Amino acid sequence: MSDRFLLVRHGETVHNVAGIAQGWNDSALSEKGQQQVRALARRLSGHRADALYSSPLGRALATAQAIADATGLEIRTLDGLREMNYGRWENKSFLDVRREDADIYHRWIADADCPCPEGESHTGLSQRLQSAFEQIASEAKHPIIVTHGTALRVAATTLLGLPAMASRHFAQHNAALNIFVRRAERWILELWNDTTHCSSLEKQP
């Protein structure tokens, strides 16, 4: 049974820089993203994790591979760790989504049960993350879990027992480290959105 989750977001992608919704589609890590994941991997190598789980999407797998190289852990993929399915919004900029689908967008950010057009709701994402976490908790004690921005924000509400839409109040940067620890039957947030391992990259010209 897990007593610590090390949850991380993938490194920066080309579409992240452009503000494009990726969802279940994909985008390669940018040059900066590749540097970020190497720095993240070096940091995680000191955490003595016993398992490594990842979303099967390419940007997450690229991040997980850097961690695997640094830790010697084998990557186990779980579909439940995918990013939110944005449906028709995928490969569009969020600015265009807010302008072109304003009514449904505002319902989607206010109502946890409202799905994206042909996509997923926050409630649906929370439910599949919960199932993934239950499986991981039954298999590993100190796992590293590689997933995505919206998935991580919703994951925080799932683990902490908060309303799913509280996720909109959580920032989550690329290659961030988040640590949850189990206390009796509760998960406690110990560290959130920590990118100090990337601080030297921000100083580069």
Side-chain angles (χ1 to χ4, degrees):
M1 176 67 72
S2 298
D3 57 23
R4 180 179 295 261
F5 277 174
L6 303 174
L7 282 154
V8 299
R9 186 183 178 192
H10 62 77
E12 179 188 271
T13 69
V14 175
H15 281 180
N16 285 149
V17 177
I20 293 172
Q22 294 170 103
W24 286 15
N25 285 319
D26 227 333
S27 174
L29 296 184
S30 66
E31 181 177 347
K32 180 179 178 180
Q34 295 173 40
Q35 295 174 328
Q36 289 173 334
V37 301
R38 288 193 292 268
L40 173 62
R42 287 193 294 270
R43 181 173 184 182
L44 289 171
S45 66
H47 274 271
R48 298 182 181 177
D50 62 352
L52 173 57
Y53 293 85
S54 177
S55 156
L57 295 171
R59 56 196 186 273
L61 281 176
T63 302
Q65 186 60 59
I67 298 168
D69 292 343
T71 62
L73 295 168
E74 179 183 354
I75 302 170
R76 310 180 197 179
T77 59
L78 283 181
D79 281 343
L81 297 175
R82 286 174 180 262
E83 179 59 295
M84 176 175 277
N85 181 350
Y86 290 119
R88 291 205 312 264
W89 292 346
E90 296 194 3
N91 290 325
K92 290 186 176 181
S93 77
F94 284 106
L95 288 175
D96 287 342
V97 167
R98 288 195 289 269
R99 182 177 63 251
E100 296 171 6
D101 283 335
D103 289 346
I104 185 64
Y105 175 80
H106 286 295
R107 290 200 300 274
W108 175 71
I109 63 173
D111 180 357
D113 295 325
C114 177
C116 310
E118 300 177 15
E120 197 168 23
S121 69
H122 288 79
T123 297
L125 174 57
S126 178
Q127 289 171 344
R128 68 173 167 83
L129 285 169
Q130 180 64 38
S131 295
F133 292 152
E134 289 173 358
Q135 177 179 339
I136 293 169
S138 72
E139 296 175 348
K141 191 169 180 63
H142 302 299
I144 297 168
I145 303 167
V146 184
T147 182
H148 306 266
T150 300
L152 274 161
R153 292 190 291 270
V154 172
T157 66
T158 302
L159 292 169
L160 299 176
L162 301 174
M165 297 317 300
S167 60
R168 297 190 64 238
H169 300 283
F170 288 84
Q172 185 62 200
H173 297 149
N174 289 112
L177 171 62
N178 312 278
I179 301 177
F180 292 80
V181 295
R182 192 189 293 275
R183 296 286 183 265
E185 297 303 315
R186 295 183 301 142
W187 285 101
I188 304 296
L189 179 59
E190 185 175 86
L191 185 71
W192 179 256
N193 198 34
D194 189 319
T195 58
T196 52
H197 46 280
C198 296
S199 58
S200 63
L201 304 179
E202 302 304 324
K203 298 175 184 177
Q204 295 180 5

